[in-house]
Amino acid sequence: MAAHFGRLRKGATTTAVAAVAVAALSASQAPGVTTDDLGRQSAGAAQPSGDAKTGGAGGGATGDSPYYTDLPPLKSPNPSPSASPTTGTTVSVGEAEAGIPATVLDAYKKAEAELRASKPGCNLPWQLLAAIGKVESGQARGGRVDASGTTYSPILGPKLDGNGFALIADTDNGAYDGDPAYDRAVGPMQFIPSTWEWAGRDGNGDGKKDPNNVYDAALAAGHYLCRFDRDLSVQSQMNAAILNYNNSTEYLNTVLSWLEYYRKGTHEVPDGTGTLPSHSSNSDPGASPSPSTPATPSTPSTPSTPSTPSAPSTPSTPKPGSGGSTSPTPKPPAPSSPTPSPTPPTPTQTVDHLEDANTGKLTATAGSAFGAKVAVRAESKASKGVAKVRVRFTIIGDTDATFTGGESVATVVTGSAGTATAPALVAGEKTGDFTVRATVVGRVLGGLDYTATVTPRQADTLTRTGDTALTCVPGGEFTDQVELKATYKGAVAGKVAATATLIKSADDPTENDKGPYFKDADGKTIRTLTDLTTDADGVLKLPKLYADDATGTFLLRVNTTGGAVLTVELKVAAAAS
């Protein structure tokens, strides 16, 4: 489709020129944004615009609007062997730019996981979402998000009123962008309302699709990039997806630069501490900041005072004209700058430690749900509960146990008492111990580890499914096979381990060396069967039995995990004449 350019000023046309522009530009806020005294990007700030389902007036998801042009450091991060205790992300040494705010990074990784399941052919890397998030909003303004992933204040683009940008009249009655006249791009991934209306997703499971929520926005961006059955592992298709997001070669080059940088290593940093970009595509080198960005007030210079006419070539400051005096006019005192309000800590920043919140004994039989749930309490130094804090629960160890829903990681926001309870654990088929670790998202604090145990499936009763006598002639084979049913506390006991042995007597459970026997795969005689398992209905059908030349009554004993035992009589006698 034709390219749509809606910028007030075009940025550098190549990555190389962009690098020069980055060096030349004075530090400003986001592309045409305003910030409050907490460093949050506020409503009314200028950022990208948008697109309709097939392209839109502005082109792309953002309307080809302004974006950050800062490029990554020339030296890529150097991955170290260590990993983050909360996300497992490789921790990189050196560059601060490699740090991504914890909640924002979590949102990117969750979006990648969802797309891996729903659109596996897309091959979306989370690093691409991180690169776009960096360029669009500086990772949600350095991770200024609350416990649910929602920005503290809306991240808004400029009015798309055709004045230097695309002309997109209001499509949402101001519902998303607060502007009933013109549309604006919204949120960490900068969707315009008309695009969000069909592209929006609920990424954090709260039942809402909020463009200001980084989980929702990241998932929506992932689906947007994966449209048209694209395979992002193919470079040409990835380039097409990025250009569809914002139709600019410089934008493509900038995003690809950050993608490569993040692929070489990154790590999480506490929310609100991410590195903020400072240069935008709607500012040329030497240009003043965007109109909606308040310039830093400067100290006024010495006021000019009427002076006696002097030679035109005199470059000095005009002097007062009384009696030829050369005394300079006294400078007025510089206006005092208001003392900035202290930045209040976020709830996450006030957490000092996690405490157990009466978690019960974590034991379950294979294949069943655990009766107890892991519960922790986020507390301040004064041991008071802290609400609205994200707590991550992670299953660690050689286990196939999961949380309800099949996930091995779950994130829960603390309630008013500071308590977070993990989803119910569901045991898999692997028995033994594993660990559930609880950590605070966005803080480097010691976590709490809980040991959970999966015990084997059990049966307490075994019965035969039939009552036909089991008889055979010497050297023959038993007509009927032994079939049993296992139960546990009256319920079917499926997938229970069992052992069958032909024993010498009721008082001597050692293996018999004569009488009935089974055959192995090679046709050899065996009298003990191990690794038996009941089926889903609790039924166990033993292989065919054979008899040697010995006659008499013989015993077959079957044992299961959990203590169920059944002894079956086998009779070998000569046929009646």
Side-chain angles (χ1 to χ4, degrees):
M1 76 180 189
H4 300 279
F5 298 97
R7 299 188 188 85
L8 180 60
R9 304 180 183 90
K10 289 181 63 179
T13 57
T14 67
T15 303
V17 176
V20 175
V22 169
L25 281 167
S26 60
S28 64
Q29 301 297 328
V33 303
T34 57
T35 57
D36 60 19
D37 59 359
L38 301 180
R40 303 166 182 161
Q41 189 169 336
S42 304
Q47 269 266 95
S49 52
D51 137 323
K53 191 164 185 176
T54 56
T62 71
D64 297 343
S65 296
Y67 54 87
Y68 288 118
T69 58
D70 298 53
L71 295 173
L74 294 177
K75 183 179 179 181
S76 293
N78 178 28
S80 75
S82 60
S84 161
T86 53
T87 65
T89 305
T90 301
V91 177
S92 304
V93 178
E95 303 291 354
E97 285 288 1
I100 299 177
T103 298
V104 179
L105 179 59
D106 187 51
Y108 296 149
K109 291 195 170 186
K110 275 186 167 53
E112 180 199 54
E114 197 279 341
L115 268 299
R116 191 187 306 124
S118 62
K119 297 183 179 180
C122 179
N123 294 305
L124 171 76
W126 66 261
Q127 292 92 339
L128 177 57
L129 295 176
I132 291 175
K134 179 72 173 181
V135 170
E136 292 295 346
S137 69
Q139 311 298 20
R141 292 294 291 157
R144 294 297 297 175
V145 296
D146 63 19
S148 67
T150 302
T151 57
Y152 284 120
S153 55
I155 301 176
L156 296 177
K159 290 184 178 181
L160 298 177
D161 56 4
N163 184 21
F165 301 99
L167 174 59
I168 303 180
D170 176 66
T171 62
D172 66 329
N173 198 29
Y176 294 122
D177 55 16
D179 191 329
Y182 299 97
D183 272 353
R184 298 181 177 205
V186 184
M189 304 303 277
Q190 287 292 278
F191 283 94
I192 61 168
S194 57
T195 302
W196 184 261
E197 190 62 31
W198 60 266
R201 295 291 192 279
D202 177 14
N204 62 351
D206 64 356
K208 298 183 294 183
K209 299 176 183 179
D210 182 2
N212 293 298
N213 183 278
V214 70
Y215 287 94
D216 295 358
L219 184 59
H223 279 280
Y224 188 94
L225 293 165
C226 288
R227 293 186 304 161
F228 312 124
D229 294 324
R230 291 190 181 106
D231 179 358
L232 301 186
S233 65
V234 178
Q235 190 63 51
S236 61
Q237 295 191 39
M238 176 182 284
N239 292 353
I242 296 171
L243 287 170
N244 191 231
Y245 206 91
N246 191 316
N247 199 343
S248 160
T249 300
E250 187 210 349
Y251 181 86
L252 170 66
N253 291 337
T254 306
V255 169
L256 291 178
S257 296
W258 282 107
L259 170 63
E260 181 65 18
Y261 182 75
Y262 287 141
R263 274 177 164 167
K264 290 183 177 179
T266 187
H267 59 281
E268 69 176 33
V269 297
D271 290 342
T273 65
T275 303
L276 295 177
S278 56
H279 305 100
S280 72
S281 62
N282 68 333
S283 294
D284 294 322
S288 60
S290 197
S292 61
T293 305
T296 303
S298 57
T299 303
S301 59
T302 304
S304 298
T305 305
S307 59
T308 302
S310 57
S313 60
T314 304
S316 58
T317 303
K319 306 295 191 296
S322 58
S325 172
T326 58
S327 301
T329 302
K331 295 182 179 181
S336 59
S337 300
T339 302
S341 303
T343 302
T346 65
T348 300
Q349 292 170 332
T350 66
V351 177
D352 179 71
H353 59 277
L354 289 175
E355 286 288 337
D356 176 56
N358 299 318
T359 300
K361 187 176 181 180
L362 299 173
T363 303
T365 302
S368 65
F370 285 71
K373 297 180 180 180
V374 178
V376 299
R377 176 178 153 97
E379 296 187 350
S380 64
K381 285 186 178 180
S383 296
K384 292 184 177 180
V386 182
K388 298 183 179 179
V389 172
R390 296 176 66 82
V391 176
R392 181 180 291 119
F393 299 94
T394 306
I395 295 174
I396 301 171
D398 183 16
T399 181
D400 54 356
T402 65
F403 293 112
T404 300
E407 299 292 334
S408 60
V409 178
T411 304
V412 180
V413 179
T414 57
S416 59
T419 301
T421 302
L425 285 164
V426 179
E429 295 304 319
K430 289 186 178 180
T431 60
D433 295 343
F434 64 91
T435 300
V436 179
R437 178 170 297 165
T439 54
V440 176
V441 176
R443 290 296 304 276
V444 181
L445 296 173
L448 291 181
D449 284 356
Y450 294 84
T451 299
T453 303
V454 179
T455 59
R457 295 171 183 262
Q458 303 178 50
D460 54 16
T461 305
L462 276 174
T463 57
R464 281 189 64 194
T465 58
D467 55 6
T468 304
L470 300 169
T471 61
C472 182
V473 297
E477 62 182 51
F478 287 80
T479 303
D480 296 314
Q481 291 177 244
V482 178
E483 185 175 276
L484 311 172
K485 185 164 186 177
T487 57
Y488 182 69
K489 296 182 178 179
V492 168
K495 299 183 181 180
V496 175
T499 301
T501 306
L502 290 150
I503 61 175
K504 290 183 177 179
S505 69
D507 299 325
D508 185 358
T510 58
E511 183 180 289
N512 206 339
D513 56 1
K514 61 182 179 180
Y517 61 91
F518 300 105
K519 290 182 181 181
D520 64 12
D522 297 324
K524 295 180 180 179
T525 298
I526 56 172
R527 290 188 167 88
T528 298
L529 297 177
T530 58
D531 298 327
L532 300 172
T533 305
T534 62
D535 64 16
D537 296 322
V539 174
L540 174 63
K541 190 172 185 177
L542 300 181
K544 185 173 289 189
L545 279 162
Y546 302 87
D548 60 13
D549 294 335
T551 59
T553 299
F554 300 90
L555 300 180
L556 169 66
R557 180 163 291 174
V558 182
N559 301 272
T560 70
T561 303
V565 179
L566 180 66
T567 303
V568 180
E569 285 190 350
L570 305 172
K571 293 184 178 181
V572 180
S577 59

